[in-house]
Amino acid sequence: MTGDNNGKHTPDNDSIAENLTLINEDNPAGVTENEAASQEYRPVVTPEMVNIFINEAMELFEEAETALLELEKSPEDREYIEQVFRVFHSFKGNAGFLGYRDYEKLSHKAESIFEDIRKGRSLVNEETVSVLLSVIDVMRDGTRNLKPGETADLPGKDILIDLLDNLEIFSQLLPEMTEQPPVDTPAGVTVTCTVKEEEDFFYQNGQCRDNHGEETPCPPPLEKPEGKERCKDPEHDAGSPENNKKQSTIQRAIRVDVEKLDSLLDLVGELVIAEAMVSHNPDIQGLQLDRLDKSLLQLTKITREIQDMAMSMRMIPLAGTFQKMTRLVRDLSLKVNKRIKLVISGEETEVDKTIIEQISDPLVHLIRNAADHGIEAPEERMAAGKPETGHITLEARHSAGEVLIIVKDDGRGLNRQKILKKAGKLGLLQDEAKDLKDEEVWNLIFEPGFSTADNVSSISGRGVGMDVVKSQIGKLRGRVDIRSTPGQGTIFSIRIPLTMAIIEGMVVRVGKAGYTIPIISIKESLQPRPEQITVTPGGLELITIRGEILPVIRLHELYKIKPTYKNLTEGIVIVVESDAKKCCLFVDELAGHQQIVIKALSGYFGKVRGISGFAILGEGEVSMILDITSLVNSAESLLENSTAKHAV
Amino acid sequence: MAVRERLNPDLLDDEDDDDMEDSQEGKYLTFLLNNEEYGIEIRYVTEIIGLQNITEVPDMPSFIKGVINLRGKVIPVMDVRLRFGMEYRVYDDRTCIIVINVREQPVGLIVDRVSEVLDIPPGQIEPTPEIRKDRGNRFLQGMGKAGEEVKLLLDAEKLLFHWE
């Protein structure tokens, strides 16, 4: 079944249909032709079929949405027109076979509009796109909630059908009006036009049409296969050279349960460790075993390749997520009456599936903010000597083990005064506001309850959002930086580690224990000289590095283990940073860095102080991953306590 | 007299198939602690492994010895002796880890040694005498009679999740 699921890319998507026909033949249930004709045609719908239908429908809708948005930019593009037509056609077929009449009707209407467009009898305009997008939205919401054995009523379909009918009238009138943009025609003109159009359509669409034409008198089940067969008429096949060409560039894919994928990853992690255990087995150390060494080398190589491959299987391009933003910006620009163009680049950048699932909401927030607050109204832009159309740029690229996602607008930029005023009101300012660096001021907008918008609009400005953005990105172990220039716009840079499952870690030793520190948190490591060390009366140790005074956390004290070295000058001090706050961690030695597979903390433990998870090291040993953020914060409170004590 | 089967602990790996569920009723895996025999319901047991490198985890009660790497999964291990308030005994080559799975939570139990799988029908189980609620007694489910011997049957849920 899974193989057939590629229906998304085939013009006639009849995997469900075929399935159904089979079931029907196998299970005639004694229904005579007469009975069948008098009854509504009721196929045996299994829950599995409904699921396949839903999955396929989601893909189809996404495909159509993408194509429609492209069509809005280039209304003449044959390829996209064909694509939309195909999607509605396929969906209509699927819905029809499962007996979802409302969906069938609606998608048929949509299909016929594109039939006209295909035939050059009508043009794509903004309204076509808008109406069809809302048709897709309604059908998508409905489809998502479909349950086996339930009838599928589509609330609001009548309004949509009316809208679609109106569109059809335009196309009918269009030949006389030639290139003129269609105007809103009163809905009254309808009846005759529509009927004529219907006949016309009948003629044009030939046999395929009868698939639907039989809608009122329902076809006896036995004829169904033929009907479907006929659907693959030359007309559709005519489009296929193009389709074939397109198909060849589309990746073939199968659906795999994420859990299976994750257990595969676990196994691969094991394999890597087992491989290391064999290659570095003490029994063969120091022996001259040329042939074995060669084989082991080969084993190592293959193991690494399997590992890379397994990792890449969780990686998905950002294109789907970015695509949703195109739609968002389009809807937003209509809503706020601004001209906004979304420029996307790097959508092919691949990131871990978890990131895909979680990055969408933060991006929506940022883009909404940019559209609502960032981009100025057209008049204001003109007055400022900027192009009337505002640009929001959404960009992604890989950079040093991280994925960098940039949301940039060329709007008015953040307003330092307003932010400071608001922050003052909220009691967020402790220091003298003038002393704050721009960066620090911008970061204030991530505080909970912060919103500087003068008018709270329906789109953004409820003051929830930015703090959510930050916490969501934080969950992905990422961070957000803001840069903003008044009058020129704002840039949000989101950096997220490429994958959630693997990090580059530095293994450090304290006594017998091994801890792992994520490399991205490490600023530097050093062996301090005696003159760098200061001890406060409260017993807090400080190390001065290039003028910066940093508190020291002794890991062996924190975790009550016996260290090899107790003297700061003998061991190693690692400077770690989180959220622009730094501290020093004192350890015995560095034991080398490696790629580590992160294992979540067992639920049995609850939360462990300063530990974010476990890692399995090359030798199969379990090491704890240090939670640098919480360590840095605890160091800071140590520092505050000790200075407070000192002051008293 | 109860039916006895001798089972190589290594074979237990295959015991936890789903279709074995029915036949697991009334079966207990017995192990030794301080020369006393204890039993735990076999349906909780996923496997028995030898002692492994244990990584200590900070801020844990003393009976949580740390975590082990069980084929790529990191699971906590508990020293059952310490859980019962018995004295620590140096691990040797008979020391075993019984991996049990309670509420989807795999945990390893460190025991002196594993002995056998026993059938103890419900009729052969007596309630724990209410004489003294000492530390160990809280985790008992009952006393199982197997021939002349008495096995102390553990309540796995309480053992793992009962915190005072």
Side-chain angles (χ1 to χ4, degrees):
Chain A
M1 193 86 269
T2 348
D4 278 346
N5 258 353
N6 255 337
K8 177 186 172 187
H9 310 304
T10 41
D12 280 303
N13 179 9
D14 30 18
S15 54
I16 293 178
E18 275 161 10
N19 204 358
L20 220 145
T21 322
L22 278 173
I23 289 168
N24 251 310
E25 277 168 359
D26 291 343
N27 182 18
V31 180
T32 67
E33 275 189 35
N34 269 346
E35 270 170 355
S38 61
Q39 282 171 6
E40 176 92 344
Y41 168 64
R42 277 260 159 255
V44 183
V45 180
T46 66
E48 192 186 321
M49 280 156 61
V50 176
N51 280 336
I52 295 168
F53 170 76
I54 294 172
N55 282 337
E56 284 187 356
M58 290 304 149
E59 285 180 1
L60 288 170
F61 291 150
E62 201 167 301
E63 195 184 344
E65 199 176 66
T66 313
L68 279 169
L69 291 167
E70 289 297 333
L71 274 179
E72 199 171 37
K73 283 181 233 152
S74 45
E76 309 265 302
D77 196 313
R78 296 294 307 170
E79 196 181 326
Y80 292 120
I81 294 175
E82 290 292 337
Q83 204 176 358
V84 177
F85 174 78
R86 225 164 41 226
V87 165
F88 281 113
H89 180 76
S90 305
F91 181 76
K92 183 183 83 177
N94 287 349
F97 274 105
L98 290 186
Y100 297 144
R101 295 284 165 236
D102 284 359
Y103 291 88
E104 191 184 0
K105 240 182 239 168
L106 202 53
S107 45
H108 168 68
K109 284 278 176 203
E111 183 193 349
S112 40
I113 286 166
F114 265 82
E115 177 67 18
D116 281 355
I117 296 170
R118 267 172 94 207
K119 293 280 181 297
R121 276 179 288 150
S122 167
L123 289 173
V124 181
N125 59 38
E126 203 178 288
E127 201 189 341
T128 326
V129 174
S130 289
V131 172
L132 284 167
L133 284 176
S134 34
V135 167
I136 289 175
D137 285 348
V138 168
M139 292 206 292
R140 176 156 41 202
D141 285 350
T143 311
R144 207 172 273 146
N145 298 320
L146 280 179
K147 293 205 179 58
E150 284 176 17
T151 47
D153 291 330
L154 203 53
K157 61 150 181 183
D158 293 331
I159 306 165
L160 286 171
I161 289 180
D162 279 352
L163 281 171
L164 289 169
D165 276 340
N166 278 341
L167 284 176
E168 285 190 66
I169 296 156
F170 293 147
S171 54
Q172 200 55 28
L173 297 175
L174 201 73
E176 292 121 70
M177 301 170 70
T178 55
E179 292 291 313
Q180 270 175 25
V183 229
D184 246 306
T185 325
V189 211
T190 36
V191 195
T192 38
C193 272
T194 329
V195 170
K196 193 173 165 247
E197 205 277 333
E198 282 279 292
E199 283 169 37
D200 226 279
F201 184 69
F202 235 97
Y203 179 68
Q204 285 292 341
N205 210 6
Q207 291 146 317
C208 201
R209 177 70 183 97
D210 67 14
N211 201 6
H212 185 79
E214 289 159 4
E215 183 186 58
T216 3
C218 270
L222 286 178
E223 273 188 23
K224 209 71 186 176
E226 280 174 54
K228 194 65 202 175
E229 204 54 45
R230 269 187 275 157
C231 242
K232 292 178 175 168
D233 64 9
E235 196 195 343
H236 287 280
D237 288 346
S240 60
E242 249 176 85
N243 296 335
N244 288 344
K245 196 178 73 194
K246 207 171 164 238
Q247 257 180 22
S248 61
T249 62
I250 291 166
Q251 289 178 328
R252 296 188 56 81
I254 61 163
R255 249 184 267 275
V256 180
D257 192 341
V258 182
E259 271 180 32
K260 277 191 194 168
L261 210 63
D262 288 344
S263 41
L264 177 70
L265 271 190
D266 278 345
L267 286 174
V268 170
E270 274 304 287
L271 177 69
V272 172
I273 292 160
E275 180 268 327
M277 279 157 104
V278 173
S279 313
H280 302 111
N281 199 305
D283 292 354
I284 55 166
Q285 292 306 308
L287 298 180
Q288 185 76 23
L289 302 163
D290 288 346
R291 270 171 303 182
L292 181 70
D293 284 347
K294 214 171 153 191
S295 310
L296 283 178
L297 216 62
Q298 179 75 355
L299 178 67
T300 311
K301 186 169 163 278
I302 294 171
T303 314
R304 297 280 167 247
E305 277 172 23
I306 291 178
Q307 191 186 16
D308 288 349
M309 192 54 72
M311 296 306 171
S312 73
M313 273 158 53
R314 269 188 70 95
M315 306 289 269
I316 302 171
L318 277 164
T321 310
F322 279 17
Q323 197 50 57
K324 282 191 212 131
M325 304 304 151
T326 318
R327 171 76 193 275
L328 175 75
V329 168
R330 176 190 180 276
D331 292 354
L332 283 176
S333 69
L334 291 177
K335 215 170 194 170
V336 297
N337 270 323
K338 295 173 186 172
R339 302 182 66 105
I340 306 173
K341 200 177 163 210
L342 181 71
V343 184
I344 288 179
S345 70
E347 69 269 36
E348 70 284 348
T349 310
E350 288 191 333
V351 295
D352 192 271
K353 190 177 167 340
T354 324
I355 300 179
I356 298 272
E357 283 160 2
Q358 311 219 353
I359 195 67
S360 185
D361 285 353
L363 285 183
V364 167
H365 273 299
L366 290 178
I367 288 175
R368 275 188 178 164
N369 273 331
D372 207 23
H373 310 313
I375 304 283
E376 311 90 329
E379 314 83 60
E380 199 183 327
R381 290 185 66 88
M382 300 287 263
K386 292 197 211 176
E388 201 184 343
T389 307
H391 287 76
I392 297 177
T393 312
L394 188 55
E395 187 189 333
R397 63 168 185 267
H398 286 162
S399 102
E402 290 179 311
V403 60
L404 178 63
I405 300 172
I406 296 171
V407 179
K408 186 170 111 184
D409 67 65
D410 62 351
R412 53 171 79 93
L414 294 174
N415 186 324
R416 191 183 157 104
Q417 292 314 317
K418 259 193 200 171
I419 293 173
L420 286 176
K421 213 171 119 197
K422 177 85 188 192
K425 258 190 223 161
L426 287 170
L428 297 170
L429 293 178
Q430 283 150 0
D431 307 333
E432 199 52 40
K434 275 176 205 152
D435 298 342
L436 287 176
K437 284 182 243 163
D438 271 356
E439 271 170 55
E440 291 169 304
V441 175
W442 307 151
N443 274 324
L444 287 172
I445 66 172
F446 288 124
E447 295 294 331
F450 206 95
S451 169
T452 56
D454 298 330
N455 298 317
V456 173
S457 71
S458 67
I459 296 166
S460 55
R462 285 175 304 273
V464 292
M466 288 313 270
D467 57 322
V468 178
V469 167
K470 189 169 185 186
S471 71
Q472 274 181 320
I473 289 169
K475 264 188 227 155
L476 295 167
R477 297 204 318 275
R479 55 185 198 275
V480 198
D481 296 322
I482 311 175
R483 268 181 294 157
S484 184
T485 318
Q488 286 181 27
T490 310
I491 302 171
F492 288 90
S493 317
I494 305 170
R495 285 168 193 278
I496 300 169
L498 256 189
T499 142
M500 298 302 291
I502 294 194
I503 59 167
E504 189 98 348
M506 172 67 76
V507 182
V508 297
R509 296 263 158 214
V510 184
K512 272 182 268 171
Y515 297 91
T516 305
I517 304 173
I519 288 275
I520 44 167
S521 314
I522 299 183
K523 285 285 131 188
E524 62 183 304
S525 60
L526 65 144
Q527 195 153 34
R529 294 185 307 276
E531 65 268 25
Q532 283 180 290
I533 303 166
T534 319
V535 185
T536 68
L540 185 70
E541 290 166 308
L542 301 167
I543 293 181
T544 313
I545 299 163
R546 289 184 295 279
E548 215 173 349
I549 302 166
L550 303 171
V552 178
I553 294 179
R554 286 170 174 255
L555 282 188
H556 66 91
E557 277 177 7
L558 186 66
Y559 294 128
K560 301 187 181 62
I561 38 182
K562 206 170 163 286
T564 316
Y565 306 111
K566 281 202 163 147
N567 201 328
L568 285 183
T569 50
E570 284 172 324
I572 296 278
V573 158
I574 299 169
V575 182
V576 290
E577 184 189 53
S578 162
D579 283 340
K581 285 178 274 187
K582 287 183 198 166
C583 78
C584 296
L585 300 178
F586 177 64
V587 301
D588 285 348
E589 58 171 353
L590 303 180
H593 79 114
Q594 55 177 280
Q595 298 265 327
I596 49 169
V597 181
I598 299 175
K599 306 283 175 180
L601 217 52
S602 162
Y604 194 61
F605 289 138
K607 222 172 145 45
V608 185
R609 190 165 46 105
I611 302 290
S612 63
F614 294 108
I616 293 174
L617 305 181
E619 309 79 40
E621 182 196 355
V622 182
S623 143
M624 278 169 279
I625 303 171
L626 295 179
D627 180 355
I628 298 302
T629 313
S630 80
L631 286 178
V632 168
N633 287 335
S634 74
E636 194 175 56
S637 58
L638 275 180
L639 197 62
E640 273 163 18
N641 285 343
S642 107
T643 47
K645 260 186 231 153
H646 197 50
V648 173
Chain B
M1 181 147 176
V3 188
R4 279 189 176 221
E5 345 174 346
R6 288 260 157 209
L7 230 169
N8 181 348
D10 292 344
L11 293 176
L12 273 171
D13 236 4
D14 303 323
E15 278 279 301
D16 64 338
D17 287 347
D18 283 344
D19 52 326
M20 300 289 285
E21 199 70 55
D22 290 339
S23 58
Q24 287 183 11
E25 200 72 34
K27 276 202 168 76
Y28 290 81
L29 174 73
T30 63
F31 55 88
L32 274 156
L33 276 186
N34 229 2
N35 296 321
E36 203 63 64
E37 248 185 292
Y38 290 81
I40 190 161
E41 276 180 83
I42 202 104
R43 63 186 170 103
Y44 292 120
V45 179
T46 43
E47 62 188 291
I48 298 166
I49 51 176
L51 197 67
Q52 313 227 337
N53 244 337
I54 299 174
T55 303
E56 265 184 62
V57 178
D59 302 342
M60 286 294 132
S62 63
F63 55 83
I64 299 291
K65 296 307 284 181
V67 289
I68 55 165
N69 168 16
L70 180 71
R71 290 191 308 281
K73 279 207 179 70
V74 176
I75 67 163
V77 287
M78 173 194 288
D79 187 321
V80 186
R81 274 175 160 269
L82 300 181
R83 177 68 159 145
F84 289 170
M86 295 173 193
E87 152 196 345
Y88 172 77
R89 174 175 166 273
V90 179
Y91 300 144
D92 57 29
D93 54 356
R94 303 292 297 272
T95 308
C96 276
I97 298 177
I98 303 174
V99 181
I100 61 170
N101 199 329
V102 184
R103 302 192 207 159
E104 303 284 300
Q105 177 65 64
V107 174
L109 304 177
I110 304 174
V111 298
D112 292 357
R113 53 184 259 230
V114 170
S115 46
E116 62 189 337
V117 175
L118 269 184
D119 250 330
I120 306 178
Q124 299 282 37
I125 299 174
E126 305 266 322
T128 324
E130 299 267 338
I131 308 165
R132 201 163 61 97
K133 282 272 177 204
D134 66 12
R135 290 195 67 174
N137 278 1
R138 283 176 299 141
F139 311 116
L140 293 187
Q141 196 176 57
M143 322 275 276
K145 287 183 287 183
E148 301 298 302
E149 294 169 56
V150 170
K151 317 283 177 195
L152 302 159
L153 304 183
L154 289 180
D155 184 325
E157 291 250 350
K158 279 194 185 145
L159 185 67
L160 258 52
F161 298 102
H162 190 100
W163 309 101
E164 49 268 58

